[in-house]
Each structure stands twice: as structure tokens, then as C-alpha cells.
Amino acid sequence: MNGIDYLVYTFLGISVTFNMLGSIALHRFPDVYTRLHGATKSTTFGTIFAVFAVMAHAFYRLHVTGDPKYLQMSLHSLVALVALLLTNPTGAHAIAKAAYLTGYKPKKAVVDSYESRIAGHVKAEPEEGEVKP
Amino acid sequence: MPFMVAFIWAYILWLVLTAGTKGLGWNVQELVAGLIFAIIVGYATRDVVGERANRYLNPLKWLEFIPYAFVVFWGMIKANLDVAYRVITGRIRPGIVRVPVDLENDAQYTILSNSITLTPGTLTIDACPDEKALYVHWINIPKGQEEPKNSKPVSGPFEDWARRLGK
Amino acid sequence: MMSDPFFYAALLTAIAGLITMLRMLIGPTVPDRVVGLDTLNTIVVALMILLGAAYDRTIYIDIAIVYAILSYIGTLIIAKYLQGGLS
């Protein structure tokens, strides 16, 4: 056991915690949009830390053994992370817009400005005096 | 020229994916094969990439993304603690708000939308460049913020970042 | 041995994937199931990366890259189909 082991354990613990939290958030929240919040953010964050753990492990093994296999492992997991970070929020937008256009309104919503845009009233100017500081 | 942008980025991706084939570097076969495939990719996508992509050839542009990455990472840490709090307590006040923004091109809208999705409590549903507004699902609207005047309460500093990075 | 903690992390991540699959099975509406699918894709990418480190096989991580990109295209096509056709 040395310092790098504790670093890897910490990263793995954060990763597992947030992936688990993302899957529990799917059952805790009432409708599609709030579920998307929990799922997208938590699982993206958990995967970032899984990649960090693998990179720390691989660089340590590279330092010890000098095997280029571990350099490939860390660089390839970094490329996977970049692909995931670019695609995940865009997929969330696509699902949210599709859910709204299919007709599922947000439950328990206090304000829904998007409804007037869909109905054709493009001008949804905020009224003066409505907003209290 | 769009050919060079696609060519350079395809070749850099090839170099990253094939590092470590000879010692810790590259052997000659991989370099030559990567050159051939990068030329094919650059030629095939020359009509798709577009003339405006030239600005991503400037290395100074990419240095600006490094502090942005740290800002986004700090925002993601806050976002996940926020989501954890809401999962445990179940205390939400959701709604869809219209956020007026002042941006010019598609790259700026993409950067701002993705930043908003990854930072606390907000999720972009639609971007409307024709009326210069974003529609954002907000999981916990503070009292009196149902129709925000600018993007400050929703996204914090990210509108300035998006304007600078996508220029 | 250093690769043991990666197995435990992969096991717990797989349990998270099973909980997500439960939402895909019981989800009352179609967008709920698509949200479950999207979450499951991300968890599977994390699982592939962890197993690649656990078994010392870089090829698993290569598959994770391809899976991340292709699953995104699948999600986009389902979303586009839901909002009114593929045309």
C-alpha cells in the first residue's frame, strides 16, 4: 500500500457513489425533466472519476514497469472521456425537447414559458413589475 | 481552408490513439498510415466543416479552453452536491424559464447550452437563435426569478465564457 | 494485487446499471425509458473502462470509445423519431 493506492481508492469511491446516485435519482424524481437532471449530471461526473482512477493506476504502472501498454490505456480512456463529455449534454437536450414536443408537460411546474413558444406566440416578453427582488 | 482543420485534428487523434507502438513513441508504419487516413478524412469532409472553422487552427484559442475546463469542473462539483441534496431530501420547485441571451453564432450557443446542462440545477431544453433566447428547465426556481432578465441567475459566468470562446 | 479494487467498483457500477434497467422496465412513458437508456449507456461506458483496467486489456477501452459515440447517435435518432418522424 502506498499513496497512489489511496488516490485510486478515493477516485473509485467517488465514481461509484455518483453513478449509484444517478441511478437512484431516476426513481426519486417525479417526471422526465427532473430525472434527466439527476441522471445526466451524476453519471457524467461518476464516469469522469472512473477515468481519473484508471489514469492514476495506469501512470503508476507505467512508472513502475515501463510497459507502453499502460500509456495506451491512459490515453485511450482520456479519449473516451472527451467523447462522453461532448455527447452527453447534447443527448440530454435532444431527449428533453422530444419529450416536450411529444406532449409531456413538467409536473408540479411553477412556470412554463416554453408552452407559449410551442403554441405559436413567439413573443413571450416578461412583464414589468412582475419580478420582485 | 476546411481541409486543413479536419486533416490536422484527425491526425492528432490518430497520434493519440497509436502512441506507444514503439517504445513510448510511434513506429514509422503507424505515422504513414495515419497520414493517409487523415488525408482521406480531410478530403471527404471538406464540404461539411465550413469556412468558419479556421479559427480553431489558432493555438491561442485552445489555451483559452484550459481555464474554462477548470471553471466547468468546479461547476460540476457544485452541481453534483446539489443533485445529491435534492435526491436525498426531494425538495424541488421545477419550471421552464425563458432566458434572453446576447450571442452571435452557433458555436457560442452550443458552448453555453452544454455548460448550462452540466452546471447546477439547470438543463437546456431548446435554443432559439431567431429570438436570442434559451429555454431552460430549472429544478429549483428561487422566489421571484420566474422570468429572469439575463442569464446571470441561471448560468453564472458562462455567458461571458461562451462569447469569448466561440468568437 | 492492484487490480482488485477495480473489480469491486465494476460490480457496484453494474448494480447501478441494474437499478437503471428497472426504470426502463417500469417507466410509465416512452421518454422515461429513453432517459433510462441514456443513463445506462453512460454507466456501460464507465463499466467498460473499469473492466479494462481490471483485466489489463486496453482493447476494452477502445470499445468504450466506439460505444460512447454510437450510443449517442442511437439516442439522437430515438429523440428525433419521437418528435415527429425521421424525415
Side-chain angles (χ1 to χ4, degrees):
Chain A
M1 291 294 282
N2 51 19
I4 207 88
D5 282 3
Y6 288 114
L7 192 67
V8 170
Y9 289 168
T10 313
F11 284 164
L12 285 179
I14 295 173
S15 157
V16 166
T17 309
F18 280 99
N19 274 335
M20 199 63 96
L21 199 69
S23 59
I24 292 172
L26 281 178
H27 295 268
R28 270 296 271 162
F29 286 147
D31 69 334
V32 179
Y33 307 98
T34 42
R35 276 174 198 153
L36 263 177
H37 274 281
T40 310
K41 284 174 193 144
S42 302
T43 53
T44 309
F45 197 66
T47 310
I48 287 178
F49 273 92
V51 170
F52 281 176
V54 172
M55 284 179 75
H57 167 71
F59 274 122
Y60 178 66
R61 300 294 296 168
L62 177 69
H63 178 69
V64 170
T65 61
D67 191 347
K69 182 173 84 176
Y70 293 108
L71 180 70
Q72 288 181 6
M73 185 182 281
S74 59
L75 285 179
H76 288 206
S77 50
L78 192 65
V79 173
L81 175 65
V82 170
L84 203 67
L85 276 183
L86 287 180
T87 57
N88 228 341
T90 320
H93 302 168
I95 296 171
K97 195 176 174 188
Y100 203 97
L101 291 180
T102 321
Y104 298 105
K105 300 281 184 270
K107 282 178 191 159
K108 297 199 288 185
V110 293
V111 56
D112 189 356
S113 304
Y114 197 47
E115 201 167 17
S116 57
R117 157 99 183 165
I118 294 301
H121 307 291
V122 178
K123 279 298 194 188
E125 288 291 331
E127 288 91 7
E128 297 296 326
E130 193 71 19
V131 179
K132 306 247 178 345
Chain B
M1 32 206 225
F3 172 76
M4 283 308 285
V5 181
F7 169 74
I8 287 175
W9 286 106
Y11 198 46
I12 287 177
L13 184 63
W14 182 281
L15 290 185
V16 169
L17 286 179
T18 57
T21 44
K22 182 188 180 190
L24 291 182
W26 299 268
N27 60 14
V28 182
Q29 293 97 314
E30 292 285 0
L31 291 179
V32 173
L35 206 60
I36 294 170
F37 282 114
I39 286 173
I40 292 174
V41 168
Y43 183 74
T45 59
R46 69 194 185 286
D47 296 332
V48 183
V49 174
E51 204 64 42
R52 293 180 52 82
N54 280 343
R55 61 186 191 272
Y56 293 118
L57 281 181
N58 187 357
L60 289 177
K61 195 91 207 163
W62 290 94
L63 285 182
E64 284 183 1
F65 274 89
I66 296 171
Y68 171 73
F70 283 102
V71 174
V72 169
F73 192 68
W74 174 240
M76 288 184 73
I77 292 174
K78 281 195 293 185
N80 282 281
L81 295 178
D82 184 67
V83 165
Y85 171 75
R86 304 219 178 280
V87 167
I88 291 167
T89 62
R91 191 175 300 159
I92 55 175
R93 191 168 180 269
I96 299 176
V97 297
R98 177 184 185 277
V99 183
V101 292
D102 182 24
L103 302 174
E104 285 138 24
N105 56 39
D106 288 352
Q108 291 173 341
Y109 276 101
T110 309
I111 292 173
L112 181 60
S113 308
N114 284 1
S115 308
I116 281 178
T117 301
L118 289 177
T119 50
T122 47
L123 174 82
T124 312
I125 288 185
D126 200 0
C128 308
D130 53 339
E131 54 175 309
K132 281 188 178 297
L134 296 176
Y135 287 93
V136 173
H137 185 274
W138 201 349
I139 200 169
N140 189 39
I141 303 177
K143 290 268 192 294
Q145 285 285 0
E146 279 84 0
E147 285 177 343
K149 288 281 191 293
N150 55 26
S151 72
K152 208 73 184 170
V154 178
S155 68
F158 285 109
E159 192 180 346
D160 297 335
W161 278 105
R163 201 175 294 132
R164 199 179 321 154
L165 291 175
K167 202 174 285 177
Chain C
M1 187 54 205
M2 190 51 207
S3 47
D4 284 342
F6 286 104
F7 279 113
Y8 294 123
L11 177 68
L12 288 172
T13 313
I15 293 173
L18 284 179
I19 299 173
T20 310
M21 253 186 233
L22 205 60
R23 171 52 69 193
M24 283 177 72
L25 287 177
I26 65 175
T29 64
V30 177
D32 277 324
R33 292 172 208 259
V34 184
V35 172
L37 179 68
D38 192 42
T39 314
L40 189 62
N41 285 332
T42 314
I43 286 178
V44 166
V45 171
L47 196 57
M48 281 178 182
I49 292 173
L50 288 174
L51 282 180
Y55 287 114
D56 268 356
R57 295 265 195 281
T58 309
I59 192 79
Y60 288 4
I61 298 176
D62 293 340
I63 295 172
I65 299 171
V66 177
Y67 187 81
I69 295 170
L70 286 187
S71 69
Y72 162 69
I73 293 174
T75 306
L76 275 194
I77 286 183
I78 294 173
K80 197 149 172 53
Y81 174 70
L82 280 181
Q83 58 176 270
L86 289 173
S87 62

